[in-house]
Amino acid sequence: KPVFYIPNILDNTLFKPADKTAAKQLLNIEAGETVLAFGAISVNSPYKGWTYLQKALELLKQDETLKNISVLIFGSEYNKEIADSIPFKTRFMGYLKDEYSTALVYNAADVFIAPSLAEAFGYVVMEALSCGTPVVGFNVGGIPDLISHKENGYLAKYKDANDVSEGIKFC
């Protein structure tokens, strides 16, 4: 039987690096803020790894050398329980309805975190990397096909919140 290879495609006229300062300004984020981004339609989904990201953020908060961090969450609406559990200033962007807004968020972010516990491909990882934003994710599923460890991001040990925090600091 014939075999066809159909690659995942991405519009690189939209998902491309842009000026971070301008992207932050458009989203009313101070230029000096370090922005950590996370995206999920359901933050509480057991597959999205929220508990590991939450622990990693708590570990980062204990590091007194890290200042002026904010967390940008997109894909989900405001959730008080999630907001209260994040030790940094947090912005919920809601569901982004177009690719322009999504690319703007990736460009405003200094690091994108994809702590998924199961991921066939990780399209958000590809989008963030295409915008020039380093990605921290677990070494699972299709994520290692996209992230070159310590080159364009950081592959954390599976289910290791401490390694996720180390990856964020590295990036």
Side-chain angles (χ1 to χ4, degrees):
K1 300 284 179 184
V3 175
F4 298 94
Y5 169 70
I6 303 172
N8 289 293
I9 60 168
L10 183 75
D11 186 347
N12 61 5
T13 63
L14 293 173
F15 292 97
K16 62 183 179 183
D19 182 89
K20 278 208 181 302
T21 305
K24 288 179 181 183
Q25 186 177 22
L26 286 168
L27 294 175
N28 292 323
I29 299 170
E30 293 176 32
E33 282 184 49
T34 299
V35 178
L36 309 178
F38 171 72
I41 291 175
S42 176
V43 174
N44 290 332
S45 166
Y47 300 108
K48 292 303 174 187
W50 168 249
T51 56
Y52 300 98
L53 175 55
Q54 180 185 10
K55 269 187 186 160
L57 294 173
E58 289 170 6
L59 291 167
L60 289 174
K61 184 65 175 178
Q62 296 170 14
D63 187 334
E64 295 178 10
T65 63
L66 301 174
K67 307 251 188 267
N68 209 12
I69 293 176
S70 64
V71 178
L72 203 61
I73 298 175
F74 64 93
S76 321
E77 294 301 322
Y78 175 80
N79 179 315
K80 183 173 176 21
E81 181 183 334
I82 297 289
D84 290 345
S85 69
I86 298 173
F88 301 107
K89 180 169 38 171
T90 305
R91 290 181 177 85
F92 284 83
M93 302 298 295
Y95 179 76
L96 302 175
K97 295 177 175 58
D98 60 75
E99 292 175 322
Y100 297 102
S101 302
T102 307
L104 179 65
V105 168
Y106 289 128
N107 276 290
D110 295 291
V111 180
F112 181 76
I113 306 153
S116 299
L117 302 180
E119 196 73 65
F121 179 68
Y123 210 78
V124 292
V125 173
M126 185 170 70
E127 290 172 341
L129 291 172
S130 294
C131 290
T133 302
V135 178
V136 175
F138 287 129
N139 191 1
V140 66
I143 293 174
D145 292 339
L146 298 165
I147 298 174
S148 296
H149 186 60
K150 294 188 174 181
E151 290 179 28
N152 64 353
Y154 189 96
L155 288 170
K157 293 179 200 108
Y158 189 62
K159 293 186 176 182
D160 187 335
N162 188 55
D163 205 25
V164 171
S165 71
E166 290 302 314
I168 294 167
K169 287 191 269 187
F170 176 82
C171 291

